[in-house]
């Protein structure tokens, strides 16, 4: 019976311990994202376009057709907001890729 009392006291002490909450603000400053796209096809891309959408709507903030082909098996990196050119520095949203070759982007 003493084991039950000890278990009861331990459980009650955990239940009765005041739980404090800590509020934390998000990080400050400006941030960017890296986008890497790899051409999985057997030929260089002749069409490669990234369309950036704002997070609060379906508004297109930038449609960027990359003028430089991506060779088969090669990769291309973009680092927002400095590339692609024309992307607003305060960009928050998503992007969609269109290509005439199969590509994988992350």
């Amino acid at each position: 019976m003493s084991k039950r009392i000890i278990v009861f006291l331990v459980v009650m002490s955990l239940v009765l311990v005041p739980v404090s909450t800590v509020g934390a603000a998000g990080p400050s400053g400006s941030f960017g994202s890296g986008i890497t796209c790899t051409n999985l096809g057997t030929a260089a891309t002749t069409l490669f376009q990234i369309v950036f959408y704002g997070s609060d709507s379906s508004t297109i903030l930038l449609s960027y057709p990359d003028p430089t082909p991506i060779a088969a098996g090669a990769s291309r990196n973009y680092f927002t907001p400095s590339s692609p050119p024309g992307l607003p520095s305060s960009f928050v949203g998503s992007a969609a890729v269109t290509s005439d070759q199969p590509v994988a982007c992350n």
Side-chain angles (χ1 to χ4, degrees):
M1 181 145 155
S2 65
K3 287 182 184 180
R4 287 184 179 181
I5 292 174
I6 293 173
V7 170
F8 176 76
L9 291 175
V10 169
V11 170
M12 290 307 293
S13 67
L14 292 175
V15 170
L16 298 177
V17 171
V19 177
S20 62
T21 58
V22 177
S28 62
S30 59
F31 297 89
S33 294
I35 302 169
T36 300
C37 294
T38 302
N39 181 351
L40 303 175
T42 57
T45 60
T46 57
L47 166 70
F48 184 83
Q49 180 170 332
I50 304 176
V51 179
F52 293 88
Y53 297 92
S55 65
D56 57 350
S57 68
S58 59
T59 303
I60 295 174
L61 299 179
L62 175 68
S63 180
Y64 179 72
D66 194 330
T68 307
I70 303 174
S75 295
R76 174 86 33 83
N77 296 316
Y78 303 90
F79 296 99
T80 67
S82 60
S83 69
L87 188 63
S89 62
S90 60
F91 171 72
V92 175
S94 61
V97 174
T98 302
S99 178
D100 63 338
Q101 292 292 315
V103 294
C105 299
N106 66 2

